[in-house]
């Protein structure tokens, strides 16, 4: 994970990964809610529903797609802590009320818990996924 998240958030995600490797699953709910606020529980729900998919191209480029609770598919970039959902733009970027939206938090949690699905696509397919997001925004 990149170091642009606050150190306490980075440390918590590392502890979650360790706990899941040791099969201690319920330890961090309170801390997740404390650090990530109201997006923690919905993010855990997305992970439980296996809504996070890591999309990988042969060159190694990756993006994540998260099927939101509304049924819309959002693209997330864990390397720069960015999501295409409206909540990320408003709550995280504009108002600075939260560190992450529920979708990008679900990406980090699914990585830590080993619950991320994987999909290998061609370079053209990944480019199409990324361009489709730009067209939706424009």
């Amino acid at each position: 994970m990149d170091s642009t998240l606050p150190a306490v958030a980075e440390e918590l995600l590392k502890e979650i990964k360790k706990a899941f490797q040791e099969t201690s699953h319920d330890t961090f709910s309170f801390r997740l809610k404390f650090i990530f606020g109201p997006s923690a529980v919905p993010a855990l729900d997305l992970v439980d529903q296996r809504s996070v998919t890591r999309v990988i191209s042969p060159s190694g480029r990756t993006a994540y797609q998260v099927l939101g609770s509304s049924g819309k598919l959002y693209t997330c970039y864990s390397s720069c802590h960015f999501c295409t959902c409206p909540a990320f733009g408003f709550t995280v970027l504009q108002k600075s009320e939260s560190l992450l939206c529920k979708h990008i938090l679900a990406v980090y949690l699914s990585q830590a818990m080993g619950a991320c699905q994987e999909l290998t696509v061609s370079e053209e397919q990944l480019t199409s996924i990324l361009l489709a997001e730009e067209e939706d925004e424009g």
Side-chain angles (χ1 to χ4, degrees):
M1 253 175 258
D2 196 45
S3 62
T4 56
L5 276 177
V8 68
E10 293 274 346
E11 192 59 34
L12 178 59
L13 291 168
K14 286 179 189 174
E15 286 183 31
I16 290 169
K17 183 175 184 175
K18 183 179 176 189
F20 269 81
Q21 291 170 343
E22 297 170 356
T23 68
S24 171
H25 304 297
D26 297 324
T27 310
F28 298 101
S29 179
F30 177 76
R31 289 198 272 180
L32 276 174
K33 291 176 193 173
F34 183 78
I35 300 295
F36 297 107
S39 61
V41 172
L44 285 168
D45 287 342
L46 290 172
V47 174
D48 284 343
Q49 296 167 10
R50 307 222 14 111
S51 297
V52 180
T53 303
R54 180 177 180 220
V55 182
I56 311 162
S57 72
S59 68
R61 293 187 312 157
T62 62
Y64 291 84
Q65 289 192 313
V66 179
L67 183 61
S69 52
S70 67
K72 184 161 174 30
L73 197 61
Y74 297 105
T75 301
C76 299
Y77 307 92
S78 63
S79 60
C80 60
H81 313 294
F82 181 80
C83 179
T84 58
C85 75
F88 185 86
F90 185 71
T91 307
V92 178
L93 297 179
Q94 229 174 9
K95 296 187 87 179
S96 299
E97 291 179 348
S98 182
L99 293 173
L100 306 167
C101 67
K102 67 181 179 181
H103 308 107
I104 194 76
L105 180 55
V107 167
Y108 293 133
L109 292 172
S110 69
Q111 289 172 333
M113 296 174 183
C116 191
Q117 300 184 74
E118 295 207 357
L119 174 65
T120 302
V121 298
S122 69
E123 298 296 332
E124 293 79 16
Q125 288 171 311
L126 183 59
T127 300
S128 178
I129 289 168
L130 301 177
L131 289 176
E133 289 296 331
E134 286 181 8
E135 291 171 6
D136 288 347
E137 293 171 6

